[in-house]
Amino acid sequence: EGSQTIDSVLDILFQNGIKSRKPKTVVFSAKLLLKSVRVFGVGSFSTPLLITHSEHLTAHSSAEVREIGINIMAEICRYFGSKTPLRASVDKLKSSQQSQLNNLVDNQHHPTQPQRNLRCKAGEPTNLSPEEIMAALKKKQQEDEAKRLEKRAAVNLFQVLPHTCYKEKLKLEKWSEKVAALDALIEAGGEQPYKLCSPSSSVDYLPLIRDLKPLLGHTHFAVCSKALAAFGMLAEGVGESMATYMRPMLPIFFGLFKDKKVTKAAGLCLDKMFGNVLSFDNLLDKTDALPSSLDEKKERNSLVRKSCLEFLTRCVSRSGMYGKKGDLTPLHAKDISVLGCDKLNDPDASTRKSATELLVALLGCKNEDVVLATKTITASLEASNSRAFKALLMASKPCAPASIESSPIISGTGQNHKGVNERENPTRNSKTKVKAVTLLRSSEPTKNATPVGLDSEAQLPSLEDSIEYISAIGIPQWSDDVDDGGILAGLKSSNWKQRMGAINKLTFYYDSGDEHAFSTIPSIFVCVRDCTKGFKESNFNVARSLLEFFSAILGAHTTIKKS
């Protein structure tokens, strides 16, 4: 109750003080908030609430209030030892404000020691590492959200819908009227995450399903997308009771992946179904589920096969963390591994890449039985598909720094890096791959080893090997199109803004402390070097991003060394 009380005080201070129309009241309230943060410590407050208030302060018309907001952001950064929790807020700041924040954090790295403690915080552990603080914060937020959802009353759609325009506008032919009807339906579901009444004698969802199902085949993508959003709302809000209606519709949902305009909406809908309505048993049913949609003889559209694999990868990553039906067992892992290994021979390159990412997700599971079950299937790839086997070994390698001899991204011959269009000797390349696989299977990472390739340029991997290795690791947005914020495409772009954006995303990746970050340094170094003409950027903004990128790499290296 204590933490709720102090959050309530913080909210009152924001509503009646910081949002006041009187300038003196705003300044006084902002100073009081900053003093409270310094006296009691960032950990005494709700971090999302503090971040929201600091964002409001940094956008204020008063320079004094904006400076206070920057100081509160600096306190949050010091507390977590990183800017990661504030990344979205920092991106909204002006360049001068970002520089001011950087200077404040650089001048004082350690968080301000609290002068007073709250009684509600008594007995809690102190002197935690930033990682432990982040984990504890995430766990607390999840618990608070679960408690809040449990206390919320379930919404009865059939009591709310008669007061909306849903029925009237759904009957009209114009697509925009149908979209308005579906918007009314989704709005009637209440706040997210949705919580709807379970089926009963007075609550029957079958007529609603019958209204929505034909809209999935509508000629306008907006109508189809909204219908998918409505299905997702029902899946999340009602849960397992909707399986009777939605399970037979799986082939329809998978088939919608072929339309690029509704691919995202279909993916979001299926994401909400998994764990709430669908389990792995449902998805892996050989009759009319994923196996049928992944068979190129039955499903000739490569976008459908690729999107289905991406959906299955997300299910593996979220198993046990979302819904009540998302548990992943070793038996499921074997079936999924068989599907993934089979799709490594798919005629479409993007589908093969998605299959690799699926197997990497399985090998990265925390459940050792799942990993062991996956390895029993993927072991056959060493003979049948050595290239994929090598990529999986590299991606599943522990993130501890490795010695030069055992590095998965250094060729066995130690050759110099080659240009993008330079061809390798096929014979020599095949020998190199065999040696690399042998080294991967036999060597163990050395704890205090030097970062691979940073001490001698001759030992760096080629650009082709670097791109292949990073693709296998699965850095977010690495292989996306340049219009979708793809990192590799952005690095190769002639537009300086796209290059800068790609470099900034890599900087964020190293700041976030990803488990594979350290092992990717040599490969990322090669990619950035080749795409920026040996780091000789004439544009000042790109050059500054490069400096921040190097700072992030050195920070990641220092963290590993200390551990």
Side-chain angles (χ1 to χ4, degrees):
E1 293 297 327
S3 59
Q4 293 178 8
T5 303
I6 196 168
D7 289 343
S8 300
V9 171
L10 201 64
D11 190 56
I12 293 171
L13 182 64
F14 178 73
Q15 296 294 338
N16 300 333
I18 294 173
K19 294 180 73 175
S20 173
R21 294 184 179 181
K22 298 178 180 179
K24 290 184 179 179
T25 304
V26 176
V27 173
F28 176 80
S29 301
K31 287 181 178 178
L32 181 59
L33 177 59
L34 176 60
K35 185 176 180 181
S36 301
V37 169
R38 287 175 173 170
V39 170
F40 293 103
V42 174
S44 298
F45 301 91
S46 167
T47 305
L49 208 58
L50 269 185
I51 293 174
T52 303
H53 295 347
S54 63
E55 277 185 17
H56 185 87
L57 293 174
T58 54
H60 200 271
S61 57
S62 169
E64 186 177 3
V65 175
R66 291 198 299 272
E67 185 176 355
I68 294 172
I70 296 294
N71 275 277
I72 293 175
M73 283 190 172
E75 291 292 342
I76 298 173
C77 291
R78 294 182 190 121
Y79 179 75
F80 288 105
S82 169
K83 295 179 186 175
T84 303
L86 284 169
R87 178 58 60 180
S89 303
V90 171
D91 289 341
K92 297 177 185 177
L93 298 176
K94 297 178 181 178
S95 56
S96 58
Q97 290 178 315
Q98 291 182 3
S99 300
Q100 185 181 359
L101 178 63
N102 291 336
N103 291 334
L104 287 172
V105 176
D106 291 341
N107 292 336
Q108 180 186 338
H109 295 287
H110 301 290
T112 304
Q113 289 296 323
Q115 300 171 16
R116 295 184 180 182
N117 295 323
L118 297 173
R119 280 178 292 180
C120 63
K121 300 289 182 181
E124 292 187 2
T126 56
N127 299 326
L128 298 176
S129 67
E131 293 79 11
E132 291 172 327
I133 293 171
M134 287 289 289
L137 174 65
K138 188 176 180 180
K139 184 179 179 181
K140 185 178 183 302
Q141 288 176 340
Q142 290 174 345
E143 290 175 351
D144 291 343
E145 288 175 4
K147 289 179 181 178
R148 185 167 173 269
L149 179 63
E150 188 178 353
K151 291 180 180 179
R152 266 172 49 196
V155 176
N156 189 334
L157 275 180
F158 304 99
Q159 290 181 353
V160 181
L161 282 179
H163 303 287
T164 67
C165 61
Y166 170 72
K167 282 191 175 181
E168 293 77 10
K169 293 200 172 186
L170 191 66
K171 296 175 182 177
L172 301 177
E173 292 298 324
K174 198 173 181 180
W175 69 266
S176 57
E177 300 292 352
K178 292 186 182 296
V179 168
L182 292 169
D183 280 334
L185 171 61
I186 295 170
E187 188 177 349
E191 63 178 301
Q192 297 190 41
Y194 298 107
K195 185 176 182 180
L196 306 177
C197 290
S198 300
S200 63
S201 56
S202 59
V203 179
D204 184 11
Y205 289 97
L206 183 57
L208 197 57
I209 299 292
R210 286 174 179 167
D211 288 343
L212 294 174
K213 188 175 179 179
L215 299 179
L216 295 176
H218 197 277
T219 54
H220 200 285
F221 75 93
V223 178
C224 184
S225 297
K226 289 293 182 180
L228 285 166
F231 272 111
M233 175 190 72
L234 293 174
E236 184 179 62
V238 182
E240 192 173 352
S241 304
M242 298 301 293
T244 307
Y245 309 121
M246 294 187 179
R247 168 63 186 84
M249 296 175 62
L250 269 181
I252 299 175
F253 292 122
F254 292 145
L256 292 172
F257 279 133
K258 67 180 65 174
D259 187 351
K260 290 184 178 180
K261 292 182 178 180
V262 299
T263 299
K264 184 176 180 180
L268 291 173
C269 175
L270 286 167
D271 286 346
K272 289 189 175 182
M273 287 184 182
F274 173 74
N276 291 312
V277 177
L278 304 173
S279 64
F280 280 109
D281 289 325
N282 301 134
L283 296 178
L284 299 173
D285 189 346
K286 295 181 180 180
T287 309
D288 56 354
L290 278 173
S292 300
S293 298
L294 291 173
D295 188 353
E296 61 267 23
K297 295 178 182 178
K298 297 179 181 178
E299 180 54 71
R300 298 186 179 277
N301 191 302
S302 60
L303 184 58
V304 174
R305 302 196 300 272
K306 169 181 173 290
S307 300
C308 285
L309 286 171
E310 289 174 348
F311 164 61
L312 189 53
T313 303
R314 294 195 298 272
C315 293
V316 170
S317 302
R318 299 163 67 214
S319 60
M321 300 168 58
Y322 179 74
K324 300 178 180 179
K325 301 185 67 177
D327 292 335
L328 177 66
T329 66
L331 184 60
H332 294 147
K334 283 187 177 181
D335 293 340
I336 296 171
S337 301
V338 170
L339 278 177
C341 291
D342 181 56
K343 288 294 97 186
L344 290 174
N345 299 316
D346 194 276
D348 178 64
S350 61
T351 304
R352 295 196 297 270
K353 179 179 177 294
S354 298
T356 303
E357 292 172 352
L358 172 62
L359 294 172
V360 169
L362 284 169
L363 292 170
C365 285
K366 295 180 180 179
N367 189 330
E368 294 182 2
D369 293 333
V370 168
V371 175
L372 185 61
T374 304
K375 287 182 177 179
T376 58
I377 303 299
T378 56
S380 61
L381 293 173
E382 185 174 8
S384 61
N385 195 335
S386 58
R387 184 184 182 90
F389 182 70
K390 175 187 173 184
L392 289 175
L393 283 172
M394 289 191 294
S396 58
K397 197 71 175 174
C399 61
S403 63
I404 291 174
E405 291 78 6
S406 63
S407 171
I409 54 177
I410 299 298
S411 65
T413 55
Q415 60 191 26
N416 291 328
H417 113 90
K418 296 181 283 299
V420 179
N421 298 320
E422 186 178 346
R423 295 181 179 272
E424 293 182 351
N425 184 311
T427 307
R428 184 178 185 181
N429 190 34
S430 62
K431 291 180 179 178
T432 299
K433 289 181 180 179
V434 172
K435 187 167 184 179
V437 172
T438 305
L439 286 170
L440 275 167
R441 301 183 66 202
S442 59
S443 1
E444 292 294 332
T446 306
K447 183 177 181 181
N448 297 318
T450 308
V452 182
L454 295 183
D455 57 339
S456 173
E457 193 168 349
Q459 295 168 337
L460 289 172
S462 67
L463 180 63
E464 184 184 29
D465 287 343
S466 299
I467 293 174
E468 180 184 348
Y469 175 67
I470 299 168
S471 299
I473 287 293
I475 293 179
Q477 293 185 290
W478 173 256
S479 302
D480 290 354
D481 295 334
V482 67
D483 294 334
D484 297 329
I487 296 176
L488 181 59
L491 289 174
K492 293 180 178 180
S493 174
S494 58
N495 187 318
W496 69 267
K497 290 184 179 179
Q498 291 173 342
R499 292 201 305 279
M500 182 182 71
I503 295 169
N504 288 341
K505 286 177 182 176
L506 289 174
T507 302
F508 173 67
Y509 173 71
Y510 284 109
D511 283 339
S512 64
D514 186 89
E515 60 177 352
H516 295 297
F518 189 85
S519 65
T520 62
I521 290 177
S523 298
I524 291 289
F525 180 88
V526 169
C527 291
V528 176
R529 179 194 64 186
D530 284 25
C531 294
T532 57
K533 301 176 183 178
F535 308 114
K536 296 176 183 177
E537 275 288 350
S538 57
N539 186 283
F540 170 77
N541 295 294
V542 181
R544 184 177 62 181
S545 294
L546 282 171
L547 289 175
E548 293 174 351
F549 166 69
F550 283 124
S551 176
I553 285 182
L554 292 173
H557 175 252
T558 304
T559 303
I560 293 293
K561 280 288 186 181
K562 287 181 178 178
S563 61

